[in-house]
Each structure stands twice: as structure tokens, then as C-alpha cells.
Amino acid sequence: VEKAFKIKPIIYSSRNFYREFLQAELGDYPLWVAHYQVPRPGLAENQWLFWQFTEKATVNGVNGSADLNVFNGSWADLNNLTKK
């Protein structure tokens, strides 16, 4: 993916799977961590880009449950991420 698109992909993983299997090899890739029903994602601030904190949210206009996420940065950071 990185060679084809010339950009590092975002790795999506649960916190525990990331720590156990991915961090050693992919620790320099942006991380979208899924870690539910906790007040914090359970990783250092500089280790994650997005945090999916629930998969059971109710959102107007969405049938069924929805994921909710937090971006670890400013609005300008998010805009810059989409320009790459």
C-alpha cells in the first residue's frame, strides 16, 4: 500500500493486539486504535492518531449502531492529513 500510494497507511487495531503483535514492527505508522468503554485509549498520546471509543453509539440518521472516534490533533492537523 505504501509503495503504491506513496504514503504510510493508517494501521487499525485493538490496543492489546497492537501492543502484542504490531508495535515492534509498525510503531512508526499512524495508529487508529479501537479501545472501548475506557476514559482514555490506554496508549501514550504520541502513539495514536485516532481512537475509536465505542461501536455502539446512536446517531441520528444512522440505522443501527455507529462507531464514534476521537482525532488526536487540531482541526488544522486533520485538514493537513486529508491533503496528503
Side-chain angles (χ1 to χ4, degrees), residues 63-77:
N63 292 328
S65 297
D67 299 341
L68 290 184
N69 303 273
V70 172
F71 176 67
N72 188 9
S74 68
W75 184 252
D77 294 334

Side-chain angles (χ1 to χ4, degrees), residues 17-47:
F17 189 86
Y18 174 76
R19 283 180 168 169
E20 190 169 340
F21 300 107
L22 302 177
Q23 187 173 6
E25 295 293 324
L26 302 175
D28 62 335
Y29 282 77
L31 175 64
W32 194 318
V33 63
H35 195 50
Y36 308 136
Q37 283 76 47
V38 293
R40 312 275 306 153
L43 296 167
E45 288 290 319
N46 64 346
Q47 287 186 293

Side-chain angles (χ1 to χ4, degrees), residues 56-68:
K56 297 178 181 178
T58 301
V59 177
N60 289 337
V62 175
N63 292 328
S65 297
D67 299 341
L68 290 184

